[in-house]
Each structure stands twice: as structure tokens, then as C-alpha cells.
Amino acid sequence: MSDLNKLGLAEARDALRAGETTSKELTEACLTAIDGAGALNAFVHRTPEIAMEQATQADARLKSDKEAPAMCGLPIGIKDLFCTKGVPSQAGSRILEGFLPEYESTVSQNLFDAGAVMLGKLNMDEFAMGSSNETSVYGNAVNPWRRGNDDVALTPGGSSGGSAAAVAADLCLAATGTDTGGSIRQPAAFTGITGIKPTYGRCSRWGVVAFASSLDQAGPMTKSVRDAAIMLEAMCSYDAKDSTSAELPVPNFEAALTGDVRGKKIGIPKEYRMEGMPEEIETLWADGIAMMKDAGADIVDISLPHTKYALPAYYVIAPAEASSNLARYDGVRYGHRARLDHGDGITEMYEKTRAEGFGPEVQRRVMIGTYVLSAGFYDAYYNRARKVRSLIKKDFEDVFAQGIDCILTPATPSAAFGLGEMADADPVQMYLNDVFTVTVNLAGLPGIAVPTGTDRQGLPLGLQLIGRPWEEADLLSSAYALETAAGFVAKPDKWW
């Protein structure tokens, strides 16, 4: 078989089972593709020796065990936010330079236990704070897609930009991502791949570098909905090391992919019809609604009245939690420590280390977070944002109580934009990229982005489906129906 790196998880799994290829051959094909894709800057810590060793073990396991897990022998990339034992885990930040964890994150351990092969660590926005992968200490990750004949470098989205670029460019069969306000779904939409954020608590956060603990959730970024179902099942588990982990059985998500939406109620929230929304996004959404209707779903107009407060609430809660979580980076125990002048004390060490170690966006969010938690402002900002969050969650609960099975919305307010195009803009302009995704994190719900079309310049666009809590199986099946109806098969032309 040629072009093995272009396979999806399901195709590669079936080829391995049929003896048409080996894990070593799959892994070598991906490593070769990575070597030739330096221009994308997707992989930032390569682990070819680990990959080949894991592939050899997977081949032996596949030979001896007819019931080997679905992920066995499949080469994937791991976002740099996941701690991987003995492998640099920097969260895209200078402050964690040289940090080699002595432990494995629960999600990556689950994947390795299932036989997955790690090709290396993937680029990301620093501490997962960003929507364009432009805040990384490693430099920008680059979208493999281009606008028509234009050679302007585009963002792959953020914060899981390296994961999205690597999957879209066939450098790996799939990748892990994390989603705090849209960081799986937005990059997936920007690069024409599938990305699912499961219900908060479905995947363990243990060993994932924390950004905002009540919002962070890991998930897979894949080439299809079926692949997302396969990988998500391997990633999920109850974990006593994570106090927010749900002790629930993990369903066979792939078996649930009937794609039958006849009689299902799909909600269309009127509040997502934003003022100034591009016509192409309006059309994409209308086409998606028509597809689901043609597939037999009942389309129901719904209201989520507190949606307009979601972005301001998110940009109070997330920085507040970040300022608390990032206080541990002080130059004392691990990571970067600034060079001190004679007479400097511990306060100067903290100040200099953090000034050197944190980039401007992280500094901005830490400052905002510290401000909203400070005496005199706590009630005015943080407590009020928490109350708004409760109202947003109740909006969804009320809608689902009316029998709505899932909600269909745009995934992003635009196609991928050029790297540097927002550099001089108000930071709030960048934050608006999360306008359709943050509500899902605030309410702890599962959400999936599926590529369904392209804009007039040939760039991919995605739609989002939001599901009931813990019903990822049902959500994936609805997404499978949307994917089948859309028939999106476009790939970026290779220029790198």
C-alpha cells in the first residue's frame, strides 16, 4: 500500500487486521511525511525512536491477539499540553523549557495501553491561550490550506493548531487536542477535519497542563467522524486522580454510528444568528439545516437567551482560573529560572522568571485573572460571571428538557485568516473567534465540529453539533449523518 500516512484510523486499523500493512510501515510513512513538512511547524518534539519501538510492540500484539484494541498500531501526534514521560512537555511556553515529566498523562497512557504509537509532540498556543497558534514559543504552526492561488500563510486555528495542521496534512493519522473555549472545534473547522470535545469529566485531566480547570477537556482530532468515535473511546476512562472525572461506563462509540437521524429533534438557536455574520457562514448553516431535514430530522427553532453574555463570562472565568493555575510557575521547582543579579531576593526571582518565561498573551490573561479575583472586584466580575455561567447552563438544560436531541450551529465566524492579520487588532477581535464554541465549555456539554463546505476561496468551513451531557454516542451518530450528507472530501494541495 502506498501513501499509508493518508489513511484514517478506521482504514488503517482494517488494513492492519487484514495483513495488508504493518504498524512499522504506517509509522515510517508518517515519520517521512513529518520530515518533509518542516514548513508547517506542526511537530515540535519528534520521538521517532519511541514510535518505532511502540510500532514493533504493536505488530507483535496484533499477531498474537485477535482482540487487540482498535487503536493498536496506529500512529498519532500528542499535543504539547499532555505530559509524556521522559519527553519534553512545554505547553508551548518558555517557562517549561527543559521539563521532562516523570509520569504519563492519563489520556496518553490510555492511548498507549490501547497500542497507539506516538510520533511526537505537537505545536500549540502557549498554555492553550489563543485562537491562532501565534502565541507559541516554537513559532507559528501553519495551516496546510491556502486561499486559491494565494501563498499567504494561514492560521490553523488554536490552541490545538499543531494537531489540526498535522492531521489535515496527513503527518499523522489522528492527534490529541484540548478544548477550553473551542480549541479543538475551531482548529478542526479551519483545517477541514473533525474534532470533538466530550462532556466535561469524560476524559481525565490528570497530567494535562492546566489552563482553566473547570473548562479544560481533552478530545480527539481526526480525519472523519468514525475515527473520532474510535479514538475517543480509547481516550475516555474514569480516573481517581482527577476529582472531576465521571465514574461512568464508556460506550462503544463506533457501534453507535448508525447515522439515522429520522425523528430526531435538531435545535437551531436564534441567538447564534450574529449581527455581521458572513454570508458564507449563513449559507453553510442553512445548507446544514437542509441536509439534516432531508435525512429525516425534525428542525426546531430554539432560544438560548443568555448566549450574548457567554464571551464576557468566559473571558472572566478562564483568566481567573489561569492566574491561579499558573502561580505554580515560579522558577523554584522546575522549568525556566531567570539569571539573578547580586542582591536579588525571591520576589525579584519570581518577577524576572515570569517576565522571561510567559509570553504577552499569557501575561495579559494572568493580569486580567488576578484583577477579577482581587478584593473589591471579586463580586463585580468573577461572582457575576459564575452566575451568568449557571444561567447559560440552564438555557441548555431547558432546551434539552423540551426533547431536543442536539443543536446545530456554525463552528466559527469565518474561514481561516492569515497569520499576523490580527496582530495589530484589539485582542477582543481575536477572542470573538470563540463566539460559537465557549457556551459549550461553560455548560460542560459535548460538541463536535464537522467539515461541511468551503468558502469562495476554497478554504474549509465547519458546522458544530452540541449534544446532551454524556450522550457522545448519540452526538457522533448525528455528526455521522451530517458528514455523510455533506460529503466533504477536499484536501489541501501540497505546497510544503
Side-chain angles (χ1 to χ4, degrees), residues 47-69:
T47 56
E49 296 84 4
I50 292 172
M52 292 312 294
E53 187 182 330
Q54 288 176 331
T56 303
Q57 291 169 357
D59 282 333
R61 185 172 175 182
L62 287 162
K63 268 198 182 118
S64 63
D65 183 4
K66 295 291 173 233
E67 300 298 312

PDB file of all heavy atoms in Angstrom, residues 47-69:
ATOM      1  N   THR A  47       9.631  12.087  18.240  1.00  0.00           N
ATOM      2  CA  THR A  47      10.034  10.919  19.040  1.00  0.00           C
ATOM      3  C   THR A  47      10.095   9.665  18.154  1.00  0.00           C
ATOM      4  O   THR A  47       9.389   8.690  18.393  1.00  0.00           O
ATOM      5  CB  THR A  47       9.043  10.692  20.203  1.00  0.00           C
ATOM      6  OG1 THR A  47       7.712  10.564  19.667  1.00  0.00           O
ATOM      7  CG2 THR A  47       9.080  11.843  21.197  1.00  0.00           C
ATOM      8  N   PRO A  48      10.937   9.671  17.105  1.00  0.00           N
ATOM      9  CA  PRO A  48      10.965   8.529  16.183  1.00  0.00           C
ATOM     10  C   PRO A  48      11.369   7.212  16.842  1.00  0.00           C
ATOM     11  O   PRO A  48      10.835   6.148  16.490  1.00  0.00           O
ATOM     12  CB  PRO A  48      11.968   8.955  15.102  1.00  0.00           C
ATOM     13  CG  PRO A  48      12.753  10.080  15.709  1.00  0.00           C
ATOM     14  CD  PRO A  48      11.849  10.736  16.692  1.00  0.00           C
ATOM     15  N   GLU A  49      12.307   7.284  17.826  1.00  0.00           N
ATOM     16  CA  GLU A  49      12.755   6.043  18.476  1.00  0.00           C
ATOM     17  C   GLU A  49      11.610   5.416  19.272  1.00  0.00           C
ATOM     18  O   GLU A  49      11.380   4.197  19.207  1.00  0.00           O
ATOM     19  CB  GLU A  49      13.952   6.305  19.418  1.00  0.00           C
ATOM     20  CG  GLU A  49      15.204   6.790  18.716  1.00  0.00           C
ATOM     21  CD  GLU A  49      15.213   8.297  18.478  1.00  0.00           C
ATOM     22  OE1 GLU A  49      14.266   8.987  18.930  1.00  0.00           O
ATOM     23  OE2 GLU A  49      16.156   8.781  17.828  1.00  0.00           O
ATOM     24  N   ILE A  50      10.895   6.256  20.031  1.00  0.00           N
ATOM     25  CA  ILE A  50       9.738   5.763  20.798  1.00  0.00           C
ATOM     26  C   ILE A  50       8.700   5.195  19.835  1.00  0.00           C
ATOM     27  O   ILE A  50       8.126   4.126  20.062  1.00  0.00           O
ATOM     28  CB  ILE A  50       9.132   6.896  21.654  1.00  0.00           C
ATOM     29  CG1 ILE A  50      10.107   7.303  22.765  1.00  0.00           C
ATOM     30  CG2 ILE A  50       7.777   6.488  22.253  1.00  0.00           C
ATOM     31  CD1 ILE A  50       9.685   8.552  23.544  1.00  0.00           C
ATOM     32  N   ALA A  51       8.466   5.914  18.727  1.00  0.00           N
ATOM     33  CA  ALA A  51       7.449   5.492  17.752  1.00  0.00           C
ATOM     34  C   ALA A  51       7.771   4.115  17.176  1.00  0.00           C
ATOM     35  O   ALA A  51       6.887   3.238  17.115  1.00  0.00           O
ATOM     36  CB  ALA A  51       7.341   6.527  16.634  1.00  0.00           C
ATOM     37  N   MET A  52       9.000   3.916  16.769  1.00  0.00           N
ATOM     38  CA  MET A  52       9.355   2.628  16.152  1.00  0.00           C
ATOM     39  C   MET A  52       9.306   1.485  17.164  1.00  0.00           C
ATOM     40  O   MET A  52       8.901   0.361  16.830  1.00  0.00           O
ATOM     41  CB  MET A  52      10.741   2.711  15.500  1.00  0.00           C
ATOM     42  CG  MET A  52      10.803   3.623  14.275  1.00  0.00           C
ATOM     43  SD  MET A  52       9.487   3.354  13.064  1.00  0.00           S
ATOM     44  CE  MET A  52       9.877   1.708  12.490  1.00  0.00           C
ATOM     45  N   GLU A  53       9.686   1.788  18.405  1.00  0.00           N
ATOM     46  CA  GLU A  53       9.605   0.751  19.454  1.00  0.00           C
ATOM     47  C   GLU A  53       8.139   0.374  19.730  1.00  0.00           C
ATOM     48  O   GLU A  53       7.790  -0.803  19.825  1.00  0.00           O
ATOM     49  CB  GLU A  53      10.264   1.277  20.738  1.00  0.00           C
ATOM     50  CG  GLU A  53      10.379   0.218  21.831  1.00  0.00           C
ATOM     51  CD  GLU A  53      11.001   0.788  23.113  1.00  0.00           C
ATOM     52  OE1 GLU A  53      11.810   1.717  23.027  1.00  0.00           O
ATOM     53  OE2 GLU A  53      10.634   0.283  24.182  1.00  0.00           O
ATOM     54  N   GLN A  54       7.280   1.393  19.818  1.00  0.00           N
ATOM     55  CA  GLN A  54       5.860   1.123  20.056  1.00  0.00           C
ATOM     56  C   GLN A  54       5.234   0.392  18.870  1.00  0.00           C
ATOM     57  O   GLN A  54       4.382  -0.477  19.046  1.00  0.00           O
ATOM     58  CB  GLN A  54       5.112   2.442  20.308  1.00  0.00           C
ATOM     59  CG  GLN A  54       5.426   3.066  21.670  1.00  0.00           C
ATOM     60  CD  GLN A  54       4.748   4.423  21.850  1.00  0.00           C
ATOM     61  OE1 GLN A  54       4.505   5.142  20.892  1.00  0.00           O
ATOM     62  NE2 GLN A  54       4.447   4.780  23.093  1.00  0.00           N
ATOM     63  N   ALA A  55       5.656   0.743  17.643  1.00  0.00           N
ATOM     64  CA  ALA A  55       5.135   0.085  16.445  1.00  0.00           C
ATOM     65  C   ALA A  55       5.531  -1.389  16.410  1.00  0.00           C
ATOM     66  O   ALA A  55       4.723  -2.264  16.067  1.00  0.00           O
ATOM     67  CB  ALA A  55       5.640   0.803  15.194  1.00  0.00           C
ATOM     68  N   THR A  56       6.778  -1.678  16.802  1.00  0.00           N
ATOM     69  CA  THR A  56       7.246  -3.067  16.849  1.00  0.00           C
ATOM     70  C   THR A  56       6.417  -3.879  17.850  1.00  0.00           C
ATOM     71  O   THR A  56       5.992  -5.005  17.566  1.00  0.00           O
ATOM     72  CB  THR A  56       8.748  -3.111  17.237  1.00  0.00           C
ATOM     73  OG1 THR A  56       9.489  -2.320  16.298  1.00  0.00           O
ATOM     74  CG2 THR A  56       9.281  -4.528  17.247  1.00  0.00           C
ATOM     75  N   GLN A  57       6.182  -3.273  19.015  1.00  0.00           N
ATOM     76  CA  GLN A  57       5.364  -3.954  20.033  1.00  0.00           C
ATOM     77  C   GLN A  57       3.930  -4.152  19.544  1.00  0.00           C
ATOM     78  O   GLN A  57       3.313  -5.195  19.782  1.00  0.00           O
ATOM     79  CB  GLN A  57       5.362  -3.138  21.327  1.00  0.00           C
ATOM     80  CG  GLN A  57       6.702  -3.119  22.053  1.00  0.00           C
ATOM     81  CD  GLN A  57       6.742  -2.096  23.186  1.00  0.00           C
ATOM     82  OE1 GLN A  57       5.795  -1.352  23.418  1.00  0.00           O
ATOM     83  NE2 GLN A  57       7.865  -2.062  23.900  1.00  0.00           N
ATOM     84  N   ALA A  58       3.408  -3.155  18.848  1.00  0.00           N
ATOM     85  CA  ALA A  58       2.027  -3.250  18.335  1.00  0.00           C
ATOM     86  C   ALA A  58       1.906  -4.356  17.296  1.00  0.00           C
ATOM     87  O   ALA A  58       0.919  -5.111  17.298  1.00  0.00           O
ATOM     88  CB  ALA A  58       1.612  -1.914  17.729  1.00  0.00           C
ATOM     89  N   ASP A  59       2.911  -4.476  16.428  1.00  0.00           N
ATOM     90  CA  ASP A  59       2.873  -5.543  15.412  1.00  0.00           C
ATOM     91  C   ASP A  59       2.863  -6.920  16.076  1.00  0.00           C
ATOM     92  O   ASP A  59       2.123  -7.816  15.654  1.00  0.00           O
ATOM     93  CB  ASP A  59       4.063  -5.414  14.459  1.00  0.00           C
ATOM     94  CG  ASP A  59       3.864  -4.320  13.413  1.00  0.00           C
ATOM     95  OD1 ASP A  59       2.695  -4.033  13.079  1.00  0.00           O
ATOM     96  OD2 ASP A  59       4.871  -3.756  12.942  1.00  0.00           O
ATOM     97  N   ALA A  60       3.685  -7.069  17.123  1.00  0.00           N
ATOM     98  CA  ALA A  60       3.713  -8.344  17.850  1.00  0.00           C
ATOM     99  C   ALA A  60       2.362  -8.612  18.519  1.00  0.00           C
ATOM    100  O   ALA A  60       1.843  -9.746  18.501  1.00  0.00           O
ATOM    101  CB  ALA A  60       4.828  -8.322  18.894  1.00  0.00           C
ATOM    102  N   ARG A  61       1.769  -7.565  19.075  1.00  0.00           N
ATOM    103  CA  ARG A  61       0.467  -7.706  19.756  1.00  0.00           C
ATOM    104  C   ARG A  61      -0.639  -8.073  18.756  1.00  0.00           C
ATOM    105  O   ARG A  61      -1.498  -8.911  19.043  1.00  0.00           O
ATOM    106  CB  ARG A  61       0.140  -6.381  20.452  1.00  0.00           C
ATOM    107  CG  ARG A  61      -1.122  -6.395  21.310  1.00  0.00           C
ATOM    108  CD  ARG A  61      -1.195  -5.083  22.088  1.00  0.00           C
ATOM    109  NE  ARG A  61      -2.420  -4.944  22.841  1.00  0.00           N
ATOM    110  CZ  ARG A  61      -2.736  -3.871  23.576  1.00  0.00           C
ATOM    111  NH1 ARG A  61      -1.879  -2.866  23.650  1.00  0.00           N
ATOM    112  NH2 ARG A  61      -3.871  -3.806  24.232  1.00  0.00           N
ATOM    113  N   LEU A  62      -0.606  -7.456  17.590  1.00  0.00           N
ATOM    114  CA  LEU A  62      -1.622  -7.746  16.569  1.00  0.00           C
ATOM    115  C   LEU A  62      -1.522  -9.181  16.071  1.00  0.00           C
ATOM    116  O   LEU A  62      -2.538  -9.803  15.742  1.00  0.00           O
ATOM    117  CB  LEU A  62      -1.476  -6.773  15.392  1.00  0.00           C
ATOM    118  CG  LEU A  62      -1.936  -5.337  15.660  1.00  0.00           C
ATOM    119  CD1 LEU A  62      -1.363  -4.379  14.627  1.00  0.00           C
ATOM    120  CD2 LEU A  62      -3.464  -5.265  15.652  1.00  0.00           C
ATOM    121  N   LYS A  63      -0.285  -9.700  16.030  1.00  0.00           N
ATOM    122  CA  LYS A  63      -0.096 -11.085  15.586  1.00  0.00           C
ATOM    123  C   LYS A  63      -0.643 -12.072  16.603  1.00  0.00           C
ATOM    124  O   LYS A  63      -1.246 -13.088  16.261  1.00  0.00           O
ATOM    125  CB  LYS A  63       1.405 -11.360  15.385  1.00  0.00           C
ATOM    126  CG  LYS A  63       1.890 -11.104  13.978  1.00  0.00           C
ATOM    127  CD  LYS A  63       3.232 -11.810  13.753  1.00  0.00           C
ATOM    128  CE  LYS A  63       3.731 -11.510  12.353  1.00  0.00           C
ATOM    129  NZ  LYS A  63       5.010 -10.791  12.350  1.00  0.00           N
ATOM    130  N   SER A  64      -0.421 -11.768  17.892  1.00  0.00           N
ATOM    131  CA  SER A  64      -0.763 -12.743  18.940  1.00  0.00           C
ATOM    132  C   SER A  64      -2.174 -12.564  19.508  1.00  0.00           C
ATOM    133  O   SER A  64      -2.715 -13.464  20.120  1.00  0.00           O
ATOM    134  CB  SER A  64       0.253 -12.647  20.085  1.00  0.00           C
ATOM    135  OG  SER A  64       0.168 -11.354  20.684  1.00  0.00           O
ATOM    136  N   ASP A  65      -2.748 -11.371  19.304  1.00  0.00           N
ATOM    137  CA  ASP A  65      -4.028 -11.069  19.953  1.00  0.00           C
ATOM    138  C   ASP A  65      -5.057 -10.629  18.921  1.00  0.00           C
ATOM    139  O   ASP A  65      -5.014  -9.515  18.426  1.00  0.00           O
ATOM    140  CB  ASP A  65      -3.822  -9.960  21.010  1.00  0.00           C
ATOM    141  CG  ASP A  65      -5.099  -9.639  21.779  1.00  0.00           C
ATOM    142  OD1 ASP A  65      -6.120 -10.314  21.545  1.00  0.00           O
ATOM    143  OD2 ASP A  65      -5.067  -8.700  22.600  1.00  0.00           O
ATOM    144  N   LYS A  66      -5.969 -11.526  18.610  1.00  0.00           N
ATOM    145  CA  LYS A  66      -7.008 -11.207  17.621  1.00  0.00           C
ATOM    146  C   LYS A  66      -7.990 -10.149  18.154  1.00  0.00           C
ATOM    147  O   LYS A  66      -8.715  -9.523  17.398  1.00  0.00           O
ATOM    148  CB  LYS A  66      -7.793 -12.478  17.245  1.00  0.00           C
ATOM    149  CG  LYS A  66      -6.946 -13.508  16.525  1.00  0.00           C
ATOM    150  CD  LYS A  66      -6.565 -13.026  15.134  1.00  0.00           C
ATOM    151  CE  LYS A  66      -5.577 -13.969  14.445  1.00  0.00           C
ATOM    152  NZ  LYS A  66      -4.389 -13.295  13.965  1.00  0.00           N
ATOM    153  N   GLU A  67      -8.007  -9.958  19.488  1.00  0.00           N
ATOM    154  CA  GLU A  67      -8.924  -8.984  20.110  1.00  0.00           C
ATOM    155  C   GLU A  67      -8.193  -7.698  20.502  1.00  0.00           C
ATOM    156  O   GLU A  67      -8.627  -6.991  21.403  1.00  0.00           O
ATOM    157  CB  GLU A  67      -9.563  -9.607  21.369  1.00  0.00           C
ATOM    158  CG  GLU A  67     -10.371 -10.880  21.110  1.00  0.00           C
ATOM    159  CD  GLU A  67     -11.560 -10.636  20.195  1.00  0.00           C
ATOM    160  OE1 GLU A  67     -12.308  -9.677  20.443  1.00  0.00           O
ATOM    161  OE2 GLU A  67     -11.717 -11.390  19.216  1.00  0.00           O
ATOM    162  N   ALA A  68      -7.070  -7.416  19.836  1.00  0.00           N
ATOM    163  CA  ALA A  68      -6.308  -6.197  20.167  1.00  0.00           C
ATOM    164  C   ALA A  68      -7.207  -4.976  19.980  1.00  0.00           C
ATOM    165  O   ALA A  68      -8.071  -4.951  19.098  1.00  0.00           O
ATOM    166  CB  ALA A  68      -5.082  -6.087  19.269  1.00  0.00           C
ATOM    167  N   PRO A  69      -7.023  -3.937  20.826  1.00  0.00           N
ATOM    168  CA  PRO A  69      -7.875  -2.740  20.717  1.00  0.00           C
ATOM    169  C   PRO A  69      -7.779  -2.076  19.341  1.00  0.00           C
ATOM    170  O   PRO A  69      -6.785  -2.241  18.622  1.00  0.00           O
ATOM    171  CB  PRO A  69      -7.325  -1.806  21.809  1.00  0.00           C
ATOM    172  CG  PRO A  69      -6.548  -2.677  22.730  1.00  0.00           C
ATOM    173  CD  PRO A  69      -6.035  -3.824  21.920  1.00  0.00           C
TER     174      PRO A  69
END
